[in-house]
Amino acid sequence: MHRLPGSTGTGPTAKEVKATEKKDAAEKKAAEKKAAKKKKAAEKKAAKKKKAAEKKEAAEKKADEKKAADEKKAADEKK
């Protein structure tokens, strides 16, 4: 077996080091993918919340306009 340069024979082999580096890289990539997925989900949730708020605001505005129109109509009928 080939040892790393300067090894006294007690450390990991080059093959073991390479396997560890490969494993670490895969774990890092998986963590980044998970973080990206989490970020995307958070953005999607925020967009959905914003859209719901806009829809609610539009409904309230429409209700206010209808109420004002009804009040104006009632006032016109009293005259």
Side-chain angles (χ1 to χ4, degrees):
M1 283 191 191
H2 298 288
R3 299 283 175 179
L4 294 172
S7 173
T8 58
T10 57
T13 63
K15 192 175 184 181
E16 291 169 338
V17 170
K18 196 171 185 181
T20 303
E21 288 172 351
K22 190 174 181 182
K23 182 182 172 202
D24 290 347
E27 287 174 353
K28 184 179 178 185
K29 188 175 180 183
E32 288 172 352
K33 191 174 181 182
K34 188 176 180 182
K37 190 175 181 182
K38 197 172 186 180
K39 184 180 177 187
K40 188 175 180 182
E43 288 173 352
K44 191 175 180 182
K45 188 176 180 182
K48 191 174 181 182
K49 200 172 186 180
K50 184 180 177 186
K51 189 174 181 182
E54 288 173 351
K55 191 174 180 182
K56 184 180 178 185
E57 193 176 305
E60 288 174 353
K61 185 178 177 185
K62 190 174 180 182
D64 288 345
E65 288 173 355
K66 186 177 183 328
K67 186 178 176 184
D70 289 346
E71 288 174 357
K72 186 174 188 267
K73 187 178 178 184
D76 289 345
E77 287 176 359
K78 279 187 176 180
K79 286 183 181 177

